[in-house]
Amino acid sequence: MVNADTKVTLCGIELDNPIIPASGTFGYGYEFAELYDINCLGSLSFKGTTREARFGNPTPRIAECERGMLNSVGLQNPGVEKVISDELPKLKKCFSKPIMANVSGFSIAEYTETCAMLDSDEQIGWFEVNISCPNVHGGGMSFGTSPEMAAEVTRAVKKVTTKPVLIKLSPNVTDIASIAKACEEAGADGISLINTLMGMRIDLRRKKPILANKMGGFSGPAILPVALRMVYQVYEAVNIPIVGMGGVSNAEDVIEMMLAGATAVQVGAANLVNPYASRDIINDLPRVMEKYRINSLTEIIGGAH
Amino acid sequence: MKQALYTIGENTRIAKDVYKMRLLGDSSACSQPGQFLNIQLPEKYLRRPISVCDWDAEGITIIYKILGNGTEMMSGFAASEQLDVLTGLGNGYDMSKSGDRPLLIGGGVGVPPLYGLCRRLVEQGKQPTVILGFNTADEIFYADEFRALGVEVRIATVDGSVGIKGFVTDAMAGLDYTYFYTCGPLPMFKAIEKTVTTSGQYSLEERMGCGFGACMGCSIKTRSGNKRVCKEGPVFEREDIIW
């Protein structure tokens, strides 16, 4: 028998296990708490929050793919003020561990204002800054596509909070390692990756894209190899911890992601297909650790290098 | 919401491209007619949301039309096969507003949830009138099942092969009703909206990711804010909908 120690430490905060439901697939947590006690989770990353309320993109904004899905939800959220006044109090009633605050913005000022407002919430353990959004002051190019812009967001957010800041990277770039490195040099405490891959499906009856937004983010088990490759590359490039995600659907995928270099692992689309997915993965971890003779998950981080 | 395995008790063709499936198992999460369930299919990533036609202590009845490769796969399932299903999804119709003589209007594959609603309204001593709209005679289903509940059933077909020639709104002429409930395609809703004289409830459709409120894929704007069709819906009050 192995010990099956699932504890990991992410930026100084200990997690009972590395499993974190990914932003946008778990709401603000309380709806899943009707199904199971979500305190079994390592943490959770709440729905991407912006300064102002957003409806998001027009529908349809979901399309199915082989072993995955596209979404073009477009960061629907009630805005940071309502998140603080309405959503987080409901989350606190059913979850007692540190949470990951996922924040998005369309300008540097939006990122910093949103993070500054959330900074006083004691339950927030980390900020996870999504830099896949277009910069309205930068010609609409995504913050996450250039090392300079990624570093600029990192520096700005670091100035308004003392909590650890993870930068969530877009995979839709030429050189992910250079962007991760730029974030590290700008003071990031960790890197979170990958966000969704841009994709499209076309409706054969209408002969037009299925999504009203035409393009959307591809997620699900089909993207796991891409995510593993990028986590592996970023692990070689930086010395700060990595939160790995992309297509993780079972405990074996979690082990792979940690061997590639992830300290913690997020579960995304799987929650939408099986609402118990995150809990099931946590329950299955000891079995898989036993099978592969793993005593401690911390010991295997980056083990594939 | 509940997740469970169900055994297919029956899966039979009842009209052109339309099948009735009986799912034997836990129906305790079903609380209101007009709710839906979400079925996992082999080799398909997302579940298939299907409205509940009716339920009882032994299981749940659904009626579906072959529209894509998922529903086509479903039509090939044999009795005794098992399916992983999320049940008790969505709000369902609010029966407390029906008045004594509610009007139920179903178009095509939008007809099924109105059956469970009709049966319960009759049990409550209400006197519903039912209008069913189809394109052609070979698409008609459940007219006899509604009649067996002892209610007046009017049928409209676009080609006039059965009942009134035209649309459901043509069958509404001269009817006196206290409230309306409807499910069907969007063009039918728009025609109903111009014709109805009372308040009522529409069951809306939208492409869904999860079906239980997590992904925000199926959101719509309403007069009382953003709503998820899968969670706050699929049934919305007439006054709440922005057309």
Side-chain angles (χ1 to χ4, degrees), chain B residues 71-82:
Chain B
T71 39
E72 188 173 348
M73 180 194 290
M74 282 173 62
S75 71
F77 290 151
S80 84
E81 284 189 62
Q82 286 204 314

Side-chain angles (χ1 to χ4, degrees), chain B residues 2 103 113 185 212 219:
Chain B
K2 271 196 179 171
L103 177 61
F212 52 88
S219 295

Side-chain angles (χ1 to χ4, degrees), chain B residues 38-81:
Chain B
N38 215 356
I39 306 180
Q40 187 144 60
L41 299 176
E43 305 301 315
K44 298 289 176 195
Y45 192 63
L46 296 176
R47 290 169 182 267
R48 264 51 184 179
I50 312 265
S51 67
V52 168
C53 172
D54 201 7
W55 74 95
D56 56 33
E58 279 76 48
I60 304 168
T61 303
I62 58 169
I63 292 173
Y64 61 93
K65 183 175 186 176
I66 297 179
L67 289 170
N69 51 26
T71 39
E72 188 173 348
M73 180 194 290
M74 282 173 62
S75 71
F77 290 151
S80 84
E81 284 189 62

Side-chain angles (χ1 to χ4, degrees), chain A residues 24-25 31-32 35 47 55 59-62 64 68 73 76 205 210 221 269-276, chain B residues 1 3 40 44-48 67 206-210 212-217 219-221 226 228 231:
Chain A
T25 65
E31 273 157 349
F32 283 80
L35 302 174
K47 176 92 183 105
F55 173 74
T59 58
R61 48 195 200 184
I62 300 288
E64 193 183 41
V73 169
Q76 181 178 346
R205 283 203 182 87
I210 290 175
N271 294 309
L272 306 178
V273 178
N274 170 13
Y276 299 95
Chain B
M1 174 171 80
Q3 181 182 26
Q40 187 144 60
K44 298 289 176 195
Y45 192 63
L46 296 176
R47 290 169 182 267
R48 264 51 184 179
L67 289 170
E206 192 54 73
R207 256 179 202 265
M208 293 177 185
C210 62
F212 52 88
C215 74
M216 318 295 274
S219 295
I220 58 164
K221 291 176 182 170
N226 300 336
R228 294 161 293 185
K231 186 81 179 179

